[in-house]
Amino acid sequence: MDKFIINGGIPLKGTVTISGAKNSAVAILPAALLADTPSTIDNLPDINDIELLKEMIEYLGGRVAKKEHEVMIDPAGINSFCPPHELASQMRASYYLIGALLSRFKEAAIAMPGGCNIGVRPIDQHIKGFEALGAKTSIEHGIIKVKADKLIGTHIYFDVVSVGATINLMLAACKAEGTTILENCAKEPHVVDVANFLNAMGANIKGAGTDTIKIIGVKEMHGCRHTVIPDQIEAGTYMVAAAATGGDVIIKGIIPKHLESIMAKMSEIGVIIDECEEDLRVRINGRPKRADIKTQPYPGFPTDMQQLIAVLLALADGVSIITENVYEGRFKYLDELKKMGVKAKVEGRTAVIEGVEMITGATLSATDLRAGAAMVIAGLAAHGVTEVTNVHYIDRGYEAIEKKLSQLGADIKRVR
Ligand code: EPZ
C-alpha cells in the first residue's frame, strides 16, 4: 500500500492546472452507454475510479480506447447488464450503470455501491425513481436488481437533494416513453455537465442546474464529443494548500462560477484571491481568520470541501464551528489531525476547532478521499515530517497529486 512522506513548512509557489471533474466524469462514462454509436470524451481526470469504470464497461462488451485524458467509448457491443460485483462494489458511482443499463436493456444487476465511508449513504431515492418509471426492483445478496417491461415518464419528487439520484434518474428517463419531471433536484455543476452530454447525444433535457428537470423521452441516442468541466473540488483543494502553507499559487483552468461559495468562504478567512478569466491567484498575509462553515448542496458550501477547509481553520486565529449538514460521518479525519496538535471537538454534526499557530508532522492514515487530501495539506503546513498511509483513497479522486504538489515546491514523495 503506497504512502506519502511529506516534509512540511514550505510555502507553495507556482502554477497548477486543474483536471476534469471526477464527479462529472464518473457519470458521463456510464451515460455514453445510452448511445448506439461511439462517443469521445476528453479532459477526463486520470484517476482510479475512471480505470474501474473502463474495466466494467469493457466487461459488459463495450469497446474503450483511452489515451491520456481522452477516451473513446463504443457501446455497440454491449451484451450484458451485470458488471463484475468485485469491481462495482469498490466505488460509489457504479450505481450510474443501473440508470444507464436500465435505459438500454430495461434491466440491470449491480452490486451495492462502495465509496467513501462518510455516512450511511442510502440509495432509496434512486430506487424510488426507478420504480416510479415502472421498474421492479429488489436487493438480493448485495446486488441491486432492476427490471422493467417498459419505462414510462412520470413525476418524481426527491425526498432529499441527491446528486446521484438526480443524475441516475436523468439517465433512466432519457429514453422512457413520455415526459418525466424531476423535482427537488441537485444543482451541482456536474449535474449540468451530464445533462449537456446527454443532450449532445440527442436527449431532450431542460432545467438541469435548477431544482426542476424536465426530460422528454427520445427513441434514439447517438455518440458525441464532450469535454468534461474542471473539478471545482480539486481547485478548492489547491486553494487551501496555497493558503495553509502561506504560499502564492496560480490555479489554472477553472470555472469561477463553480467556485463562488468556496471563494467567498476563503476570502472571509483572509485568503487573497485574484480572479483572471479561467485562472485564480491565491495567497494569504499572516494567519487565517476564524470562520463558521455550514455545508449545503450546491450552490452552498460543498461538503466535499469540509475536510479541506478544516485544515485552514485549524491554523486560524480564533475558534471556528463547522456544521456538516450532508453526511453524518464526515468528521473521522479530525481524530487523525489531532496527532499533529490540531484542537477539535466533535458533537454530532458539529465540530468546534480552536486554531493553533503551529501543527507538527505525524503518521496519519487516510480514511477517505477528501480526508486523505486534508491530511496531505496538513502535512504540507506542519513543522517536520508527516507520513500519510492508505493513499489509494486519494488516488481515487486526485490526478497525480504528489506530482502537482512537487511542481509547486512541496517536498512530498510516494513510497510504494
Ligand atoms: C456525490 O455523492 C459525490 N460522489 C460525493 O462526492 C458528494 O459528497 C455528494 O455527491 C454530495 O455532493 C459522486 O458524485 C461519485 P448524494 P452521492 O446522493 O451522489 C442522502 C467526493 O468526495 N441520500 O448527493 O452519493 C445521502 O445520504 C464524494 O468526491 C439519501 O438519503 O451524494 C446524503 O446525506 C464523497 N438517499 C445526501 O443525500 C439517496 O438515495 C446527499 O447525497 C441518496 C442520497
Side-chain angles (χ1 to χ4, degrees):
M1 301 276 254
D2 292 5
K3 61 185 176 183
F4 287 146
I5 309 289
I6 301 161
N7 194 358
I10 303 168
L12 299 186
K13 296 213 190 296
T15 299
V16 62
T17 300
I18 297 306
S19 301
K22 163 180 90 81
N23 293 342
S24 183
V26 296
I28 284 175
L29 265 59
L33 307 187
L34 291 179
D36 300 321
T37 51
S39 290
T40 299
I41 300 136
D42 64 25
N43 198 36
L44 272 181
D46 193 6
I47 55 177
N48 290 357
D49 274 8
I50 294 297
E51 284 309 313
L52 270 176
L53 277 170
K54 176 174 175 292
E55 266 186 77
M56 284 190 266
I57 292 170
E58 286 172 330
Y59 179 92
L60 295 172
R63 200 161 54 83
V64 185
K66 182 170 177 289
K67 62 175 192 293
E68 277 275 305
H69 298 105
E70 181 176 284
V71 73
M72 184 286 300
I73 297 182
D74 182 352
I78 293 221
N79 54 23
S80 163
F81 51 77
C82 180
H85 303 328
E86 67 278 5
L87 295 181
S89 58
Q90 287 184 44
M91 59 184 283
R92 176 89 180 155
S94 46
Y95 56 31
Y96 291 133
L97 288 169
I98 306 174
L101 295 168
L102 177 63
S103 183
R104 186 182 177 99
F105 289 113
K106 306 291 181 290
E107 189 165 2
I110 315 272
M112 286 293 277
C116 292
N117 179 14
I118 50 181
V120 177
R121 305 187 81 179
I123 57 165
D124 58 304
Q125 297 304 302
H126 302 239
I127 300 294
K128 165 181 165 172
F130 297 144
E131 289 178 346
L133 289 172
K136 297 253 177 303
T137 70
S138 66
I139 296 180
E140 298 159 26
H141 310 296
I143 310 297
I144 307 161
K145 294 183 176 175
V146 295
K147 190 169 184 177
D149 297 331
K150 53 186 173 180
L151 297 171
I152 311 279
T154 184
H155 196 136
I156 299 166
Y157 193 96
F158 294 119
D159 303 329
V160 291
V161 174
S162 161
V163 167
T166 301
I167 292 175
N168 228 345
L169 269 300
M170 282 201 298
L171 298 179
C174 268
K175 297 163 93 172
E177 292 173 25
T179 299
T180 298
I181 305 284
L182 305 178
E183 300 259 24
N184 198 25
C185 296
K187 298 178 266 197
E188 272 69 4
H190 30 292
V191 172
V192 178
D193 199 30
V194 175
N196 291 340
F197 176 67
L198 291 167
N199 283 336
M201 290 203 292
N204 185 338
I205 300 172
K206 291 187 177 59
T210 74
D211 44 20
T212 302
I213 296 175
K214 180 179 178 181
I215 302 152
I216 299 175
V218 296
K219 291 211 178 321
E220 303 289 318
M221 288 172 73
H222 52 78
C224 70
R225 172 174 274 282
H226 182 80
T227 298
V228 176
I229 57 170
D231 193 319
Q232 80 270 21
I233 305 299
E234 186 195 21
T237 301
Y238 286 99
M239 291 171 72
V240 170
T245 58
D248 184 341
V249 173
I250 305 280
I251 296 171
K252 289 185 79 65
I254 54 107
I255 297 175
K257 174 78 186 150
H258 296 168
L259 285 160
E260 278 179 350
S261 65
I262 297 169
M263 287 196 284
K265 191 51 73 175
M266 299 278 283
S267 302
E268 190 186 327
I269 293 172
V271 179
I272 303 161
I273 301 169
D274 300 315
E275 215 181 298
C276 177
E277 288 175 14
E278 295 178 349
D279 302 343
L280 296 177
R281 180 185 177 192
V282 179
R283 55 208 158 98
I284 191 168
N285 291 328
R287 283 180 73 184
K289 299 191 190 97
R290 60 139 327 269
D292 293 334
I293 305 282
K294 290 178 174 46
T295 65
Q296 294 291 344
Y298 192 83
F301 189 84
T303 174
D304 294 348
M305 279 297 301
Q306 182 257 103
Q307 294 142 302
L308 300 153
I309 203 96
V311 177
L312 212 43
L313 297 173
L315 294 164
D317 181 8
V319 178
S320 304
I321 297 174
I322 299 179
T323 309
E324 173 51 71
N325 293 307
V326 179
Y327 290 108
E328 70 280 11
R330 203 164 197 171
F331 284 131
K332 290 189 197 70
Y333 67 103
L334 287 171
D335 289 335
E336 288 294 296
L337 295 187
K338 285 175 184 171
K339 297 175 184 173
M340 307 174 88
V342 166
K343 288 187 179 167
K345 192 169 170 17
V346 175
E347 295 278 337
R349 286 185 177 249
T350 301
V352 178
I353 297 183
E354 183 190 340
V356 294
E357 284 204 61
M358 184 188 81
I359 55 176
T360 55
T363 297
L364 310 174
S365 176
T367 48
D368 62 73
L369 164 60
R370 306 300 173 186
M375 291 172 199
V376 169
I377 294 174
L380 294 170
H383 286 238
V385 178
T386 295
E387 190 173 295
V388 179
T389 59
N390 289 337
V391 299
H392 61 279
Y393 284 116
I394 303 173
D395 293 334
R396 286 192 45 218
Y398 287 93
E399 177 179 327
I401 190 169
E402 78 274 20
K403 289 194 185 75
K404 291 191 179 185
L405 287 170
S406 300
Q407 283 163 1
L408 292 172
D411 179 353
I412 176 171
K413 300 268 181 309
R414 180 186 290 259
V415 175
R416 295 201 184 283

